[in-house]
Amino acid sequence: MQKDYVLVLANHLDQLALIETWLKDVAVGVGLNSDDVFNLQLLLNEAVTNVIQHAYTDENEHRITITASSTYRVLSVIIDDDGIPFDPSAYPEPVLTANLQEAVIGGLGIKLIRSHTTTMTYRRVGEQNQLTLTLDRSQPPR
């Protein structure tokens, strides 16, 4: 039987520390190795930081829900938030420059997420953004 692991965060950067503790429970429950845990923590910190910093146009407290579930070798992680609509899967690949002076701010976190997941999909469900990251642990990341 599949078990869902759910973490609910407020939209404050200090909440990111809760992801590490939650991931330890997920790792034990679905059999993640230390590399998987490290990668997933990096990806979730990036995605949730983007939500906290860019998704809200007010100062109100909002909930961000992360749900992880696993079937055999595929781990799915869904990040739900009620921020402004934003589809990171439609965001263009950033152009890497030869030096920092030419670099443009933005997009590298999305590139990181794309490169370390099997799939990244987005959908808007009512007033919620839903970003789904999948990790097929039997295949290398893209």
Side-chain angles (χ1 to χ4, degrees):
M1 186 163 125
Q2 177 179 314
K3 178 179 178 184
D4 288 345
Y5 298 83
V6 179
L7 175 65
V8 179
L9 305 171
N11 58 318
H12 305 288
L13 291 174
D14 63 355
Q15 296 279 289
L16 294 173
L18 299 173
I19 293 173
E20 181 178 4
T21 304
W22 174 76
L23 272 177
K24 288 178 184 174
D25 290 339
V26 174
V28 169
V30 303
L32 296 176
N33 65 38
S34 60
D35 288 341
D36 289 337
V37 172
F38 176 83
N39 289 337
L40 193 54
Q41 183 172 352
L42 181 66
L43 300 177
L44 289 175
N45 281 340
E46 180 62 33
V48 173
T49 297
N50 283 344
V51 170
I52 292 168
Q53 293 182 332
H54 304 293
Y56 302 108
T57 58
D58 59 39
E59 298 298 319
N60 297 333
E61 186 162 295
H62 296 269
R63 289 177 21 163
I64 301 163
T65 304
I66 306 172
T67 306
S69 60
S70 182
T71 57
Y72 186 55
R73 300 289 297 165
V74 177
L75 176 69
S76 295
V77 179
I78 301 170
I79 303 166
D80 282 298
D81 69 81
D82 66 343
I84 58 173
F86 177 70
D87 181 357
S89 67
Y91 196 84
E93 285 284 331
V95 176
L96 300 179
T97 60
N99 59 57
L100 289 176
Q101 290 78 17
E102 297 173 6
V104 183
I105 294 174
L108 293 178
I110 295 170
K111 179 176 178 54
L112 176 76
I113 293 169
R114 281 183 180 139
S115 67
H116 286 84
T117 58
T118 308
T119 62
M120 175 178 73
T121 58
Y122 169 86
R123 64 187 195 145
R124 184 78 175 173
V125 180
E127 296 296 314
Q128 294 286 123
N129 293 304
Q130 190 174 82
L131 180 65
T132 302
L133 310 175
T134 61
L135 303 162
D136 183 340
R137 294 176 286 149
S138 65
Q139 299 179 12
R142 300 183 266 158

